[in-house]
Amino acid sequence: MAKAPDSLEKIAGEVTGCPLCKLARTRKNAVPGEGQLAAKIMFVGEAPGRSEDDKGRPFVGAAGRILDEMLAKAGIQRSQVFITNVVKCRPPNNRVPEDDEVAACMPYLDRQMALIRPRIICILGRTAYSSLLGGSSITANRGKVIEKAGQKYFLTIHPAAAIYNKSMLSLLEADLKKLAKEVQKVEGGGASLEDFM
C-alpha cells in the first residue's frame, strides 16, 4: 500500500500524541505550530510556555503579544506566516530544552520546513539558533541573513527577551522590518509583501 503523503495536519496529529521524550509526561497540550502551508516566512522559537501549554497554540502569552505587535509594525500578518518552536511541549518551569528533547522533536520541525518550504525562516532566540544552525550568540548575529543548504535564515532575538528588557523592543521591531524587506528582495522586486501572501 502506498504511504500517505505528509501534511501539516498529519504532523500536528503526531505531535499531539507524541511520547518521544520526557516532556510528554508533564505537558497539558503539545503545540505543533500554526499558520499557512503557503507561508513565505516561518518563525521558529524555543519551546511553548505556560499559556501555550494551556491552549495548545504557539506564541499566545506575553511573548506572543509582543510578537504580534512587532509583526503588525513590520506589515507582516500573523495569519499569513507559520509559527512554531524547536520543541513542541513545554519544559517544566520554562527551562531551556535539553539536547535529547530537541533531538526527539527535530524531525517534526524538519518535516514542517520541508512541507512549507518558506522563502525565509526567522529564528527567534538562542535555542532556535543553536538547534537549527549550531550558532551561539544571537545578540552578536541578530539582523543577519544566513544561507544553509539553499535555505535562508534570518536571526533575531526571542520576543520573551523584551518582556524583561524593554530596550529589546526597538531591536525586535527593527529586525522584523528588515525581515519584511528581505522577503521582498527574495521575491524579486519592489512589490509589497502583501502581494506575495
Side-chain angles (χ1 to χ4, degrees), residues 51-111:
S51 301
E52 292 75 18
D53 185 47
D54 283 342
K55 297 191 169 99
R57 295 182 56 217
F59 285 89
V60 290
R65 285 191 291 280
I66 290 171
L67 181 63
D68 288 349
E69 187 186 326
M70 296 301 133
L71 287 175
K73 287 184 175 183
I76 299 170
Q77 292 178 317
R78 179 171 169 142
S79 62
Q80 300 294 339
V81 302
F82 191 89
I83 302 179
T84 190
N85 289 293
V86 170
V87 168
K88 312 297 192 193
C89 297
R90 182 192 182 201
N93 303 313
N94 292 347
R95 65 163 169 71
V96 173
E98 292 168 2
D99 290 347
D100 60 325
E101 294 159 359
V102 171
C105 242
M106 197 52 94
Y108 294 128
L109 182 57
D110 288 339
R111 286 165 61 197

Side-chain angles (χ1 to χ4, degrees), residues 46 96 123 125 129:
E46 177 178 288
V96 173
I123 289 177
Y129 184 29

Side-chain angles (χ1 to χ4, degrees), residues 114-194:
L115 282 167
I116 294 165
R117 301 209 316 270
R119 293 285 190 273
I120 200 153
I121 294 170
C122 182
I123 289 177
L124 300 168
R126 188 179 58 81
T127 299
Y129 184 29
S130 66
S131 302
L132 285 168
L133 297 175
S136 55
S137 174
I138 199 78
T139 41
N141 293 294
R142 52 157 282 274
K144 289 184 181 167
V145 176
I146 293 174
E147 195 160 332
K148 182 181 176 188
Q151 174 66 61
K152 280 185 165 37
Y153 296 87
F154 182 86
L155 308 177
T156 190
I157 56 175
H158 195 288
I163 295 170
Y164 310 105
N165 184 347
K166 297 291 182 222
S167 66
M168 296 282 195
L169 279 172
S170 58
L171 298 181
L172 185 59
E173 182 179 343
D175 284 353
L176 292 184
K177 284 179 176 170
K178 188 174 174 186
L179 171 65
K181 285 197 178 81
E182 200 58 46
V183 173
Q184 279 178 244
K185 222 163 59 182
V186 172
E187 291 291 353
S192 81
L193 189 61
E194 281 74 25

